[in-house]
Amino acid sequence: MTDATNAYAAAGVDIEAADRAIDLMKEWVEKARRPEMLGGLGGFAGLFDASALTKYKRPLLATSTDGVGTKVAIAQKMDVHDTIGHDLVGMVVDDLVVCGAEPLFMTDYIATGKVVPERIAAIVKGIAEACALAGTALIGGETAEHPGLLHPDEYDVAGATTGVVEADELLGADRVRAGDVVIAMEASGLHSNGYSLVRHVLLNTAKWELDRHVDELGTTLGEELLVPTRIYAKACLDLAKRTETHAMSHVTGGGLAANLERVMPKTMTAVIDRATWTPQPIFDLVRQVGSVPQPDLEATLNQGVGMVSLTAPSDVDAAIAGLAEFGIRAWVAGEVREAAGDAEAGRVRLEGQHPGW
Protein backbone atom coordinates (compact mmCIF):
# COMPACT_ATOMS: atom_id res chain seq x y z
CA MET A 1 0.00 0.00 0.00
CA THR A 2 1.41 3.39 -0.96
CA ASP A 3 1.74 6.33 1.41
CA ALA A 4 -1.08 8.08 -0.46
CA THR A 5 -3.31 5.05 -0.01
CA ASN A 6 -2.36 4.91 3.68
CA ALA A 7 -3.32 8.56 4.04
CA TYR A 8 -6.66 8.00 2.31
CA ALA A 9 -7.35 5.01 4.58
CA ALA A 10 -6.53 7.15 7.60
CA ALA A 11 -9.17 9.59 6.36
CA GLY A 12 -11.71 6.77 6.31
CA VAL A 13 -11.65 5.64 2.67
CA ASP A 14 -10.61 2.04 2.04
CA ILE A 15 -9.55 1.62 -1.59
CA GLU A 16 -8.68 -2.05 -1.11
CA ALA A 17 -12.18 -2.75 0.22
CA ALA A 18 -13.66 -1.11 -2.86
CA ASP A 19 -11.51 -3.33 -5.07
CA ARG A 20 -12.69 -6.42 -3.19
CA ALA A 21 -16.29 -5.31 -3.63
CA ILE A 22 -15.76 -5.10 -7.39
CA ASP A 23 -14.34 -8.61 -7.47
CA LEU A 24 -17.33 -9.94 -5.52
CA MET A 25 -19.94 -8.24 -7.69
CA LYS A 26 -18.48 -9.28 -11.05
CA GLU A 27 -20.35 -12.58 -11.26
CA TRP A 28 -23.69 -10.85 -10.66
CA VAL A 29 -23.10 -8.06 -13.16
CA GLU A 30 -22.28 -10.71 -15.75
CA LYS A 31 -25.82 -12.08 -15.37
CA ALA A 32 -27.31 -8.70 -16.31
CA ARG A 33 -25.97 -8.37 -19.85
CA ARG A 34 -27.53 -7.79 -23.24
CA PRO A 35 -25.81 -8.63 -26.56
CA GLU A 36 -25.35 -4.90 -27.23
CA MET A 37 -23.28 -4.38 -24.08
CA LEU A 38 -19.57 -3.96 -24.73
CA GLY A 39 -16.78 -4.62 -22.26
CA GLY A 40 -17.17 -5.21 -18.55
CA LEU A 41 -16.46 -3.60 -15.21
CA GLY A 42 -13.60 -1.18 -14.79
CA GLY A 43 -14.06 1.33 -17.58
CA PHE A 44 -14.83 4.99 -17.05
CA ALA A 45 -18.06 4.64 -19.04
CA GLY A 46 -20.37 1.80 -19.95
CA LEU A 47 -20.63 1.05 -23.65
CA PHE A 48 -23.77 -0.02 -25.51
CA ASP A 49 -23.88 -0.76 -29.24
CA ALA A 50 -26.51 1.65 -30.57
CA SER A 51 -26.54 0.17 -34.08
CA ALA A 52 -29.62 -1.80 -32.98
CA LEU A 53 -31.53 1.49 -33.13
CA THR A 54 -31.23 1.51 -36.92
CA LYS A 55 -34.22 -0.86 -37.08
CA TYR A 56 -36.42 1.99 -35.81
CA LYS A 57 -37.98 4.51 -38.18
CA ARG A 58 -37.87 7.28 -35.58
CA PRO A 59 -36.39 6.05 -32.31
CA LEU A 60 -37.15 8.09 -29.22
CA LEU A 61 -34.77 7.69 -26.29
CA ALA A 62 -36.40 7.62 -22.88
CA THR A 63 -34.68 7.94 -19.51
CA SER A 64 -35.67 7.59 -15.88
CA THR A 65 -33.85 7.98 -12.57
CA ASP A 66 -34.87 7.26 -8.99
CA GLY A 67 -33.93 5.76 -5.64
CA VAL A 68 -35.81 3.72 -3.06
CA GLY A 69 -36.28 6.28 -0.31
CA THR A 70 -36.28 5.32 3.34
CA LYS A 71 -36.81 1.64 2.61
CA VAL A 72 -33.02 1.43 2.83
CA ALA A 73 -33.38 2.09 6.58
CA ILE A 74 -35.29 -1.19 6.94
CA ALA A 75 -32.66 -3.12 4.99
CA GLN A 76 -29.92 -1.65 7.16
CA LYS A 77 -31.71 -2.43 10.44
CA MET A 78 -32.33 -6.01 9.33
CA ASP A 79 -28.87 -6.41 7.81
CA VAL A 80 -30.49 -7.77 4.63
CA HIS A 81 -29.10 -6.12 1.52
CA ASP A 82 -29.83 -8.38 -1.46
CA THR A 83 -33.39 -7.14 -2.08
CA ILE A 84 -33.01 -3.36 -2.04
CA GLY A 85 -31.38 -3.43 -5.49
CA HIS A 86 -34.47 -5.19 -6.80
CA ASP A 87 -36.50 -2.24 -5.55
CA LEU A 88 -34.17 0.20 -7.28
CA VAL A 89 -34.56 -1.48 -10.66
CA GLY A 90 -38.33 -1.68 -10.29
CA MET A 91 -38.57 2.02 -9.58
CA VAL A 92 -36.63 3.13 -12.65
CA VAL A 93 -37.53 0.60 -15.36
CA ASP A 94 -41.25 0.68 -14.66
CA ASP A 95 -41.32 4.46 -14.85
CA LEU A 96 -39.77 4.03 -18.28
CA VAL A 97 -42.06 1.38 -19.75
CA VAL A 98 -45.26 3.37 -19.19
CA CYS A 99 -44.52 5.26 -22.39
CA GLY A 100 -43.91 1.99 -24.22
CA ALA A 101 -40.11 2.22 -24.10
CA GLU A 102 -37.95 -0.89 -23.78
CA PRO A 103 -35.31 -0.40 -21.06
CA LEU A 104 -31.93 -1.03 -22.71
CA PHE A 105 -29.39 -0.39 -19.98
CA MET A 106 -29.05 0.87 -16.43
CA THR A 107 -26.37 2.39 -14.21
CA ASP A 108 -26.36 2.49 -10.42
CA TYR A 109 -24.81 4.61 -7.69
CA ILE A 110 -24.17 3.43 -4.13
CA ALA A 111 -23.01 5.88 -1.46
CA THR A 112 -21.94 4.42 1.88
CA GLY A 113 -20.18 5.46 5.04
CA LYS A 114 -17.84 2.47 4.83
CA VAL A 115 -17.35 -0.01 2.00
CA VAL A 116 -18.05 -3.49 3.30
CA PRO A 117 -17.37 -5.62 0.21
CA GLU A 118 -19.92 -8.33 1.03
CA ARG A 119 -22.65 -5.75 1.63
CA ILE A 120 -21.94 -3.87 -1.60
CA ALA A 121 -21.87 -7.15 -3.52
CA ALA A 122 -25.25 -8.11 -2.02
CA ILE A 123 -26.78 -4.82 -3.13
CA VAL A 124 -25.40 -5.24 -6.65
CA LYS A 125 -26.60 -8.85 -6.70
CA GLY A 126 -30.16 -7.60 -6.22
CA ILE A 127 -29.73 -4.96 -8.91
CA ALA A 128 -28.32 -7.46 -11.40
CA GLU A 129 -30.98 -10.11 -10.75
CA ALA A 130 -33.72 -7.53 -11.23
CA CYS A 131 -32.10 -6.18 -14.40
CA ALA A 132 -32.21 -9.70 -15.79
CA LEU A 133 -35.94 -9.88 -14.96
CA ALA A 134 -36.51 -6.55 -16.72
CA GLY A 135 -34.42 -7.47 -19.75
CA THR A 136 -32.06 -4.55 -19.25
CA ALA A 137 -28.26 -4.53 -19.08
CA LEU A 138 -26.43 -3.36 -15.96
CA ILE A 139 -23.86 -1.42 -17.91
CA GLY A 140 -21.99 0.36 -15.15
CA GLY A 141 -22.12 1.97 -11.76
CA GLU A 142 -20.25 3.68 -8.98
CA THR A 143 -19.62 2.97 -5.32
CA ALA A 144 -18.56 5.96 -3.23
CA GLU A 145 -17.30 5.91 0.35
CA HIS A 146 -18.39 8.98 2.33
CA PRO A 147 -16.95 8.77 5.84
CA GLY A 148 -18.15 11.56 8.08
CA LEU A 149 -21.19 12.16 5.89
CA LEU A 150 -22.71 8.71 6.39
CA HIS A 151 -22.28 6.36 9.34
CA PRO A 152 -20.29 3.17 8.58
CA ASP A 153 -23.42 1.00 8.22
CA GLU A 154 -25.42 3.59 6.29
CA TYR A 155 -25.84 3.68 2.53
CA ASP A 156 -28.16 4.99 -0.14
CA VAL A 157 -28.76 3.79 -3.67
CA ALA A 158 -29.84 5.47 -6.89
CA GLY A 159 -30.01 4.45 -10.51
CA ALA A 160 -30.86 5.58 -14.01
CA THR A 161 -32.04 3.68 -17.05
CA THR A 162 -32.25 4.47 -20.75
CA GLY A 163 -34.68 2.94 -23.21
CA VAL A 164 -36.11 3.35 -26.68
CA VAL A 165 -39.56 3.47 -28.25
CA GLU A 166 -40.73 3.92 -31.83
CA ALA A 167 -42.21 7.42 -32.13
CA ASP A 168 -45.54 6.28 -33.53
CA GLU A 169 -45.86 3.67 -30.76
CA LEU A 170 -45.39 6.15 -27.92
CA LEU A 171 -48.06 5.68 -25.25
CA GLY A 172 -49.61 8.60 -23.42
CA ALA A 173 -52.52 10.92 -22.78
CA ASP A 174 -53.05 11.83 -26.45
CA ARG A 175 -54.06 8.22 -27.19
CA VAL A 176 -56.59 7.83 -24.37
CA ARG A 177 -60.24 7.54 -25.41
CA ALA A 178 -63.58 7.58 -23.60
CA GLY A 179 -64.55 3.97 -22.94
CA ASP A 180 -61.01 2.82 -22.23
CA VAL A 181 -60.88 0.34 -19.37
CA VAL A 182 -58.64 0.85 -16.34
CA ILE A 183 -56.81 -2.43 -15.79
CA ALA A 184 -55.19 -2.68 -12.37
CA MET A 185 -52.09 -4.83 -11.86
CA GLU A 186 -51.50 -6.21 -8.39
CA ALA A 187 -48.58 -4.91 -6.35
CA SER A 188 -46.30 -7.25 -4.42
CA GLY A 189 -46.83 -5.06 -1.35
CA LEU A 190 -45.75 -1.57 -0.36
CA HIS A 191 -43.11 -1.52 -3.13
CA SER A 192 -40.79 1.43 -2.34
CA ASN A 193 -43.04 4.35 -1.48
CA GLY A 194 -44.59 5.67 1.70
CA TYR A 195 -42.00 4.18 4.03
CA SER A 196 -41.70 7.39 6.02
CA LEU A 197 -45.39 7.04 6.91
CA VAL A 198 -45.16 3.29 7.53
CA ARG A 199 -42.07 3.64 9.72
CA HIS A 200 -43.67 6.49 11.65
CA VAL A 201 -46.83 4.48 12.33
CA LEU A 202 -45.46 1.01 13.04
CA LEU A 203 -41.91 1.59 14.30
CA ASN A 204 -41.86 5.05 15.88
CA THR A 205 -45.41 5.40 17.23
CA ALA A 206 -46.57 1.82 17.83
CA LYS A 207 -43.00 0.80 18.83
CA TRP A 208 -43.20 -2.49 16.97
CA GLU A 209 -39.94 -4.35 16.39
CA LEU A 210 -38.96 -5.61 12.96
CA ASP A 211 -38.71 -9.20 14.24
CA ARG A 212 -42.27 -9.10 15.57
CA HIS A 213 -44.45 -11.80 14.01
CA VAL A 214 -47.70 -10.25 12.82
CA ASP A 215 -50.56 -12.71 12.43
CA GLU A 216 -52.35 -10.53 9.87
CA LEU A 217 -49.26 -10.61 7.68
CA GLY A 218 -48.33 -14.24 8.25
CA THR A 219 -44.71 -13.20 8.66
CA THR A 220 -42.52 -10.81 10.64
CA LEU A 221 -42.95 -7.10 10.17
CA GLY A 222 -39.41 -6.73 8.82
CA GLU A 223 -39.86 -9.46 6.23
CA GLU A 224 -43.06 -7.83 5.02
CA LEU A 225 -41.46 -4.42 4.77
CA LEU A 226 -38.62 -5.84 2.66
CA VAL A 227 -40.83 -7.59 0.08
CA PRO A 228 -39.25 -6.47 -3.21
CA THR A 229 -40.98 -4.15 -5.64
CA ARG A 230 -42.68 -6.06 -8.44
CA ILE A 231 -41.12 -5.50 -11.86
CA TYR A 232 -43.70 -5.08 -14.62
CA ALA A 233 -41.38 -4.15 -17.51
CA LYS A 234 -41.55 -7.26 -19.71
CA ALA A 235 -45.24 -7.80 -19.00
CA CYS A 236 -46.14 -4.22 -19.88
CA LEU A 237 -44.07 -4.22 -23.06
CA ASP A 238 -45.87 -7.40 -24.09
CA LEU A 239 -49.20 -5.77 -23.20
CA ALA A 240 -48.42 -2.77 -25.40
CA LYS A 241 -47.44 -5.06 -28.27
CA ARG A 242 -50.37 -7.48 -28.10
CA THR A 243 -53.27 -5.19 -27.21
CA GLU A 244 -54.65 -1.76 -27.97
CA THR A 245 -53.32 -0.17 -24.81
CA HIS A 246 -53.26 3.60 -24.93
CA ALA A 247 -51.49 4.60 -21.73
CA MET A 248 -49.99 3.14 -18.56
CA SER A 249 -49.17 4.54 -15.15
CA HIS A 250 -46.64 3.32 -12.58
CA VAL A 251 -48.21 3.75 -9.13
CA THR A 252 -45.48 5.18 -6.92
CA GLY A 253 -45.30 8.17 -4.57
CA GLY A 254 -48.61 10.04 -4.54
CA GLY A 255 -50.78 6.97 -4.93
CA LEU A 256 -53.08 5.58 -7.59
CA ALA A 257 -55.21 8.60 -8.50
CA ALA A 258 -52.39 11.14 -8.66
CA ASN A 259 -50.17 8.93 -10.81
CA LEU A 260 -52.96 7.98 -13.21
CA GLU A 261 -53.80 11.67 -13.64
CA ARG A 262 -50.31 12.15 -15.09
CA VAL A 263 -51.44 10.30 -18.25
CA MET A 264 -55.03 11.56 -18.42
CA PRO A 265 -56.07 14.02 -21.14
CA LYS A 266 -57.81 17.17 -19.90
CA THR A 267 -61.00 16.24 -21.73
CA MET A 268 -61.37 12.93 -19.86
CA THR A 269 -61.92 11.61 -16.37
CA ALA A 270 -61.37 8.14 -14.90
CA VAL A 271 -63.53 6.49 -12.27
CA ILE A 272 -62.06 3.64 -10.23
CA ASP A 273 -64.16 1.33 -8.05
CA ARG A 274 -62.42 0.32 -4.82
CA ALA A 275 -64.85 -2.60 -4.52
CA THR A 276 -62.94 -4.43 -7.28
CA TRP A 277 -60.05 -5.35 -4.98
CA THR A 278 -58.93 -5.75 -1.37
CA PRO A 279 -55.48 -4.28 -0.58
CA GLN A 280 -52.99 -6.64 1.06
CA PRO A 281 -53.10 -6.77 4.88
CA ILE A 282 -50.13 -4.42 5.34
CA PHE A 283 -52.20 -1.49 4.06
CA ASP A 284 -55.08 -2.15 6.46
CA LEU A 285 -52.56 -2.64 9.25
CA VAL A 286 -51.11 0.84 8.71
CA ARG A 287 -54.63 2.25 8.53
CA GLN A 288 -55.81 0.68 11.75
CA VAL A 289 -52.68 0.86 13.92
CA GLY A 290 -52.03 4.48 12.96
CA SER A 291 -55.67 5.57 12.65
CA VAL A 292 -54.63 6.94 9.26
CA PRO A 293 -57.54 8.41 7.26
CA GLN A 294 -58.15 6.62 3.98
CA PRO A 295 -57.51 9.75 1.84
CA ASP A 296 -54.07 10.04 3.45
CA LEU A 297 -53.31 6.38 2.72
CA GLU A 298 -54.41 6.77 -0.88
CA ALA A 299 -52.27 9.86 -1.34
CA THR A 300 -49.18 8.03 -0.05
CA LEU A 301 -49.36 4.25 -0.66
CA ASN A 302 -50.16 2.20 -3.75
CA GLN A 303 -53.00 0.39 -1.92
CA GLY A 304 -52.18 -2.89 -3.64
CA VAL A 305 -52.05 -1.62 -7.24
CA GLY A 306 -48.56 -1.20 -8.67
CA MET A 307 -49.35 -0.44 -12.30
CA VAL A 308 -52.43 0.39 -14.37
CA SER A 309 -53.16 0.44 -18.07
CA LEU A 310 -55.82 2.23 -20.07
CA THR A 311 -56.83 -0.37 -22.63
CA ALA A 312 -59.52 -0.57 -25.31
CA PRO A 313 -62.51 -2.57 -24.02
CA SER A 314 -62.24 -5.06 -26.89
CA ASP A 315 -58.81 -6.15 -25.63
CA VAL A 316 -59.51 -6.41 -21.90
CA ASP A 317 -59.72 -10.20 -21.75
CA ALA A 318 -56.55 -10.60 -23.82
CA ALA A 319 -54.76 -8.08 -21.62
CA ILE A 320 -55.66 -9.80 -18.35
CA ALA A 321 -54.77 -13.22 -19.77
CA GLY A 322 -51.46 -11.92 -21.12
CA LEU A 323 -50.49 -10.39 -17.79
CA ALA A 324 -51.33 -13.67 -16.07
CA GLU A 325 -48.74 -15.37 -18.27
CA PHE A 326 -46.16 -13.20 -16.53
CA GLY A 327 -47.53 -14.10 -13.11
CA ILE A 328 -49.31 -10.77 -12.63
CA ARG A 329 -52.89 -10.78 -11.36
CA ALA A 330 -54.91 -8.06 -13.05
CA TRP A 331 -58.53 -6.96 -13.05
CA VAL A 332 -60.90 -4.32 -14.39
CA ALA A 333 -60.91 -1.49 -11.84
CA GLY A 334 -62.71 1.30 -13.68
CA GLU A 335 -63.21 3.20 -16.89
CA VAL A 336 -62.44 6.42 -18.71
CA ARG A 337 -65.27 8.86 -19.44
CA GLU A 338 -65.71 12.24 -21.05
CA ALA A 339 -65.14 14.93 -18.43
CA ALA A 340 -68.31 16.76 -17.38
CA GLY A 341 -66.93 20.21 -16.64
CA ASP A 342 -63.71 21.61 -15.25
CA ALA A 343 -64.02 19.74 -11.93
CA GLU A 344 -63.55 16.42 -13.74
CA ALA A 345 -61.08 17.52 -16.40
CA GLY A 346 -58.07 15.23 -16.30
CA ARG A 347 -59.01 13.94 -12.85
CA VAL A 348 -59.31 10.45 -11.36
CA ARG A 349 -62.03 9.65 -8.85
CA LEU A 350 -62.01 6.72 -6.44
CA GLU A 351 -65.45 5.52 -5.38
CA GLY A 352 -66.96 2.64 -3.41
CA GLN A 353 -65.06 0.75 -0.74
CA HIS A 354 -62.66 -2.18 -0.56
CA PRO A 355 -64.29 -5.43 0.59
CA GLY A 356 -63.58 -5.88 4.30
CA TRP A 357 -62.76 -2.20 4.85
Side-chain angles (χ1 to χ4, degrees):
M1 182 181 294
T2 67
D3 290 341
T5 304
N6 277 319
Y8 214 8
V13 178
D14 189 341
I15 295 175
E16 289 188 346
D19 290 339
R20 291 198 302 274
I22 292 173
D23 288 337
L24 289 174
M25 70 176 72
K26 280 181 178 178
E27 67 169 297
W28 300 112
V29 174
E30 194 62 29
K31 297 178 186 296
R33 293 184 67 93
R34 286 175 56 119
E36 304 94 336
M37 182 177 168
L38 303 177
L41 291 180
F44 284 97
L47 297 175
F48 191 89
D49 185 352
S51 62
L53 301 185
T54 57
K55 69 181 181 181
Y56 292 84
K57 297 176 182 177
R58 185 187 169 201
L60 301 180
L61 293 179
T63 185
S64 173
T65 185
D66 209 342
V68 298
T70 61
K71 190 170 184 174
V72 295
I74 305 298
Q76 290 161 20
K77 284 185 177 181
M78 293 188 65
D79 196 24
V80 175
H81 311 287
D82 62 351
T83 61
I84 206 72
H86 197 113
D87 294 294
L88 178 63
V89 175
M91 294 302 289
V92 296
V93 300
D94 288 333
D95 272 1
L96 194 78
V97 298
V98 298
C99 69
E102 177 189 2
L104 299 175
F105 57 83
M106 176 175 173
T107 57
D108 66 74
Y109 181 82
I110 304 169
T112 183
K114 179 179 175 59
V115 170
V116 178
E118 293 76 14
R119 184 165 62 208
I120 299 300
I123 297 170
V124 174
K125 171 179 180 286
I127 295 172
E129 289 177 335
C131 280
L133 288 176
T136 187
L138 181 56
I139 199 171
E142 175 73 11
T143 299
E145 198 167 34
H146 293 164
L149 182 63
L150 295 169
H151 292 301
D153 291 332
E154 288 182 336
Y155 62 83
D156 199 5
V157 295
T161 187
T162 298
V164 62
V165 59
E166 187 69 74
D168 61 9
E169 296 175 3
L170 184 69
L171 304 181
D174 61 319
R175 290 180 174 243
V176 177
R177 301 289 181 267
D180 281 351
V181 174
V182 180
I183 297 177
M185 304 177 212
E186 188 176 47
S188 57
L190 292 167
H191 285 184
S192 301
N193 295 103
Y195 273 75
S196 292
L197 172 63
V198 174
R199 290 167 55 242
H200 173 72
V201 168
L202 300 180
L203 302 182
N204 299 338
T205 302
K207 304 297 183 183
W208 288 13
E209 299 293 335
L210 290 173
D211 60 0
R212 174 183 178 137
H213 186 276
V214 182
D215 290 342
E216 295 92 332
L217 303 176
T219 186
T220 67
L221 177 62
E223 288 169 334
E224 176 68 29
L225 296 186
L226 278 190
V227 170
T229 301
R230 173 163 284 154
I231 294 177
Y232 301 91
K234 285 187 176 180
C236 285
L237 290 174
D238 182 75
L239 179 70
K241 182 181 298 184
R242 293 169 49 176
T243 70
E244 189 183 338
T245 288
H246 298 140
M248 291 185 279
S249 176
H250 188 199
V251 184
T252 55
L256 175 54
N259 279 286
L260 184 52
E261 286 175 355
R262 296 167 68 178
V263 295
M264 289 292 298
K266 296 301 182 183
T267 57
M268 304 287 170
T269 185
V271 179
I272 294 176
D273 185 1
R274 298 185 187 95
T276 60
W277 84 98
T278 300
Q280 292 97 324
I282 184 63
F283 299 98
D284 198 28
L285 194 69
V286 174
R287 177 175 73 108
Q288 295 200 43
V289 172
S291 299
V292 182
Q294 190 165 347
D296 289 348
L297 284 179
E298 292 176 338
T300 309
L301 307 178
N302 68 51
Q303 291 294 89
V305 179
M307 182 79 78
V308 294
S309 74
L310 302 180
T311 300
S314 59
D315 276 346
V316 167
D317 289 344
I320 292 175
L323 291 166
E325 292 176 9
F326 287 87
I328 297 173
R329 188 175 79 87
W331 63 93
V332 173
E335 66 175 355
V336 176
R337 303 171 183 172
E338 296 281 356
D342 292 342
E344 289 188 355
R347 303 305 299 273
V348 174
R349 184 175 83 250
L350 297 171
E351 62 181 23
Q353 187 53 284
H354 303 299
W357 279 48

